[in-house]
Amino acid sequence: MEPSEVLFLCTADARVGFGHLRRCLTLATRLDRAGVRVAFGGDLDAAAREQLRAALPQAPFGNDGEGAPLAVLDCMFDPQDPDHYDLDFLRAVAVRHERVVLVTSSIRVPPDLPVTAVVGHVLEPVARPIFTLYRGLEWAPVAPEAATWRDAARDFPDTPRRVLVAFGNWADPAGARLALEALDRTGWPCSVQVLLPPALRPHLPALARAAGRLAWEVQTDVPSVFPLLHAADLLVGSYGNLTFEALALGVPSVVVAIKPFMHAYAARLAALGALINAGEVGDLTPSALAGQLAALTVSTRRALGQRGRALVDGQGLARLADLLLQLRNAGLPPAPHLPQGSRISHT
């Protein structure tokens, strides 16, 4: 077997990371179709490895990709703090690969990360980075599939008729339970789809009690979230990859932070008029959240949808795939934002 050319390193388990894995699978599939030999590594649990085998059965997992010239990292080094970067780990990766791309979403990035490039929705400028930085909402990690659904006409009914509840692969059901209780209190005659990750399956009985009189159903192991988003008049969920996908499709979104950092991140997008930042889950009651939901008039929801589509064009992962193809050939295009840092060598 010929050696791998690009190694994807990510983390996905019952606590965190299936959004990271889904992004890497999207990128790896595009590269594989372009004739690039890809491999995977990192801390992937059994469910994550099953997804990997189903999507890319030909991609080796483990040590087979260690000699790849290009490594792509999509990891959250601390599940509670996206601004934390494991420098020792990054240095170890840099020693083994000629070029390293870090895919990230954080408020601040240290300027001395030992990588070739940093790509993502980085909220604050980086002064004199030693890597090349690709920063902005145009790099928000939205799969190219969004283009299929993005241009469809979107209706804004008097009250939402279909609501999607999605809180990521987090074992604590507090966010989903709060959302269901609040939606029940609105009295909206809506149907509710709950995107249920593996970590929340044991909590189905508690979620059923929280749903009360709602007409609701569970969606699990979906091959794509875009049909669910396209059908939704409103998304209620945590901050994450789905947030950007909803923005790209113009779906009005209400973010309930299930981790403290999510509140700070959502506040930045709320300040741009892109979504509603409801607050942290521990600070909200069902009645308080129901009040925020009931205040979403037709004009408010329409403005949120239009603003989201204007800010996020849905081409973020397509851009990143093109960048990786260029880096695979050892070329590094100039960063479109901010003064460039010098490229570092890992030889």
Side-chain angles (χ1 to χ4, degrees), residues 100 111-118 126-134 332-333 335 338-346:
V100 179
D112 58 346
L113 294 183
V115 298
T116 311
V118 172
V126 181
R128 297 183 296 279
I130 66 171
F131 46 81
T132 302
L133 178 64
Y134 301 85
L332 186 63
L338 305 182
Q340 293 179 54
S342 58
R343 225 183 109 201
I344 62 174
S345 171
H346 303 301

Side-chain angles (χ1 to χ4, degrees), residues 42-292:
D43 296 325
L44 303 181
D45 68 8
R49 294 192 190 194
E50 184 177 340
Q51 284 194 24
L52 170 58
R53 285 192 296 268
L56 286 169
Q58 72 277 21
F61 176 83
N63 294 330
D64 289 344
E66 282 302 317
L70 173 61
V72 180
L73 278 66
D74 192 342
C75 311
M76 194 169 178
F77 300 105
D78 182 340
Q80 300 292 345
D81 181 10
D83 286 348
H84 171 72
Y85 294 90
D86 187 335
L87 289 177
D88 290 338
F89 173 75
L90 291 172
R91 291 188 189 104
V93 174
V95 167
R96 298 193 298 267
H97 304 274
E98 294 176 19
R99 296 173 296 281
V100 179
V101 174
L102 177 64
V103 182
T104 187
S105 176
S106 62
I107 293 177
R108 288 170 291 275
V109 172
D112 58 346
L113 294 183
V115 298
T116 311
V118 172
V119 184
H121 178 45
V122 178
L123 301 185
E124 293 185 357
V126 181
R128 297 183 296 279
I130 66 171
F131 46 81
T132 302
L133 178 64
Y134 301 85
R135 164 183 173 258
L137 279 170
E138 62 265 46
W139 296 99
V142 178
E145 187 185 354
T148 305
W149 306 92
R150 178 176 165 81
D151 293 331
R154 177 159 294 282
D155 188 23
F156 296 91
D158 291 338
T159 59
R161 296 168 301 201
R162 195 175 180 96
V163 179
L164 178 61
V165 172
F167 279 83
N169 196 44
W170 186 243
D172 188 345
R177 188 171 61 239
L178 173 68
L180 288 171
E181 290 180 0
L183 287 166
D184 185 38
R185 296 189 184 204
T186 64
W188 289 342
C190 63
S191 65
V192 178
Q193 310 286 307
V194 179
L195 188 57
L196 195 75
L200 287 186
R201 287 172 188 163
H203 300 284
L204 256 178
L207 296 179
R209 290 191 295 272
R213 300 157 296 175
L214 287 173
W216 73 298
E217 63 180 10
V218 167
Q219 299 287 342
T220 187
D221 296 325
V222 296
S224 170
V225 299
F226 287 105
L228 292 176
L229 278 174
H230 173 68
D233 297 316
L234 180 69
L235 169 67
V236 182
S238 60
Y239 180 98
N241 202 61
L242 197 65
T243 306
F244 296 105
E245 291 166 336
L247 293 177
L249 266 61
V251 180
S253 301
V254 176
V255 171
V256 175
I258 56 176
K259 303 176 189 178
F261 77 84
M262 292 180 175
H263 182 54
Y265 279 61
R268 300 292 186 104
L269 289 174
L272 296 175
L275 51 75
I276 299 298
N277 182 24
E280 294 187 44
V281 64
D283 297 332
L284 289 168
T285 64
S287 294
L289 180 57
Q292 293 193 57

